[in-house]
Amino acid sequence: MSSLPIIQFDYDFSPYSHKTRHALLATSTPFKTCLQPPVLPRPDLTHLGISFRRMPVLSIGKDVFCDSALIMYTILSSATTPLPTQPYGYEKGLQSYADAVFQSVLPLVPGQLLTEGFVKDRASMFPILGRPDFQTLRPSALGELRANLKGIEEHMLQDSGPFLGGKKEVGADDLQLAWAVRWTVKNLGVESEPGFGSAAFPRFYKWIDACGALDEGMKRDEVSGEDAGKTILASEYSIKNHDVPADDPLGVKKGERVSVESADATPGSDPQVGKLIGTDVNRVSLELENGIHIHFPRVGYVVRKA
C-alpha cells in the first residue's frame, strides 16, 4: 500500500465501514479515521467538493475512493501484507451475497433508530424503510436470516479452522461476507433472539468472533475534518496516470464534465460532478475544482455528461 496518508471517512454504526476497516486492519495498513454524522449534511466532505453521500469514503493521498467495493479492491490489490484469496468469481459471489443479506435484514433495525429524519435521509437508498407495513416485516426477516446462517454454518465453515473453508487465517473471502452477518447479530440484537445464539450456530459464532478479533487492541487514530482536508489537499496523487480510451462505452472525452450517481438510488440523488480524467474496466475517475481526484467503480453507477 502507498506510503501516502490514508484516511477513512465513516461512522461507527455503518456496516460497510466495518468491512473496509477490517480490510485495512487485516492487511496491516496504517490509516486514520475521520468520523462523520450518520445523516446528511457532512460538512467535512462538502468542504472538499465531495457530494457522494454513502459511507465509507477512503482517501489515499489526494485520491478519494468511493463505494466499499472499489475501496476493498484498492486495499486488497495493493496491500503490502496480502491476504489469502479465492477465485475471482467466488469472491464476487460472496460480495453480492453479503449485499443481499444486508438488504434482507433492514427490517431488524431497532425502531428507536428509525427516526423521521433517518428514514427521510435513507429514502433514496433503502426505500424498504418507508414501507407502510415495515413494522410487520421483522418475523419474515428473522426467518430469512436463520436460513442464511444455517447455510453458512453447514456449507461454508468447517471444524478445522475458524475461517471460511476451514482456513486458520483470515482471507479476503471472509472480509467480503463477515461484515454483514456479524453486524446483524452483534449490532441489531439478533444474538439474543431464541434460536439464534451460539448453541444453534457454533461454527458461525466462532467465525465472526475470529473476524471481530481484528478490532481487539486497535487504538483508533482519529483526525478532525479540518485536518483531514488539509492533509488530502497537500498530498500527492496515489494514481499518477489517467486516460480515457477512445472505445470507452461512455462516449465522453477526457476533460468533459460528467456526473456520477448510484444506479440503485432515486435518480438525481446526490450526484458527484467533476471533470472526467480517466476510465478503465474497474474505475471512473473525476477531477474536482480543488484538484482532488475522486474514483467510482464501473459496476452500480450511472455516468453521464453534466
Side-chain angles (χ1 to χ4, degrees), residues 3-54:
S3 60
L4 295 169
I6 299 174
I7 302 171
Q8 175 156 298
F9 294 79
D10 63 23
Y11 59 93
D12 285 335
F13 194 66
S14 164
Y16 285 94
S17 296
H18 290 201
K19 175 183 179 180
T20 52
R21 281 187 197 175
H22 279 175
L24 290 164
L25 292 167
T27 56
S28 301
T29 302
F31 71 101
K32 293 185 177 182
T33 301
C34 185
L35 291 176
Q36 299 299 297
V39 298
L40 296 177
R42 297 190 178 109
D44 296 338
L45 293 172
T46 303
H47 178 71
L48 293 173
I50 298 170
S51 56
F52 181 71
R53 53 105 11 97
R54 298 191 178 189

Side-chain angles (χ1 to χ4, degrees), residues 63-289:
D63 289 276
V64 172
F65 299 86
C66 299
D67 193 282
S68 63
L70 180 58
I71 293 172
M72 290 292 286
Y73 172 80
T74 302
I75 295 169
L76 297 175
S77 63
S78 57
T80 54
T81 306
L83 298 180
T85 59
Q86 301 294 331
Y88 173 84
Y90 175 70
E91 289 191 4
K92 293 297 289 185
L94 286 179
Q95 177 185 320
S96 298
Y97 178 47
D99 289 340
V101 169
F102 172 69
Q103 292 286 340
S104 74
V105 302
L106 289 175
L108 304 180
V109 175
Q112 63 266 28
L113 296 179
L114 298 178
T115 63
E116 182 179 352
F118 183 89
V119 172
K120 182 178 180 181
D121 182 77
R122 295 301 196 274
S124 66
M125 298 187 295
F126 307 129
I128 190 175
L129 298 179
R131 282 181 54 150
D133 61 346
F134 181 81
Q135 298 301 327
T136 71
L137 302 179
R138 182 177 176 86
S140 296
L142 283 171
E144 183 171 348
L145 177 62
R146 179 180 282 180
N148 282 318
L149 297 190
K150 183 177 178 63
I152 294 171
E153 174 80 15
E154 296 186 355
H155 301 292
M156 302 178 74
L157 298 168
Q158 300 175 15
D159 292 330
S160 56
F163 297 104
L164 291 178
K167 300 191 308 299
K168 292 180 170 55
E169 295 183 357
V170 66
D173 52 344
D174 298 285
L175 300 178
Q176 293 289 7
L177 177 57
W179 65 273
V181 286
R182 183 174 185 269
W183 179 81
T184 300
V185 300
K186 296 292 186 181
N187 291 66
L188 301 185
V190 174
E191 187 174 13
S192 60
E193 290 278 348
F196 281 87
S198 59
F201 303 107
R203 290 174 176 170
F204 170 79
Y205 278 93
K206 185 178 179 181
W207 171 52
I208 62 170
D209 287 345
C211 291
L214 292 168
D215 290 333
E216 294 179 4
M218 182 188 89
K219 182 179 180 181
R220 180 165 19 215
D221 191 357
E222 293 186 17
V223 61
S224 69
E226 181 180 0
D227 288 343
K230 290 179 179 177
T231 297
I232 293 169
L233 291 172
S235 293
E236 297 180 1
Y237 296 111
S238 62
I239 301 175
K240 304 294 185 182
N241 300 310
H242 297 276
D243 191 23
V244 178
D247 62 351
D248 190 278
L250 290 177
V252 180
K253 295 179 181 179
K254 186 174 183 177
E256 292 188 302
R257 284 176 59 80
V258 298
S259 69
V260 182
E261 59 185 76
S262 302
D264 63 351
T266 303
S269 298
D270 308 297
Q272 179 67 61
V273 177
K275 181 173 67 176
L276 183 69
I277 58 170
T279 61
D280 61 25
V281 295
N282 294 312
R283 191 173 59 225
V284 173
S285 303
L286 281 57
E287 183 174 277
L288 306 184
E289 291 183 358

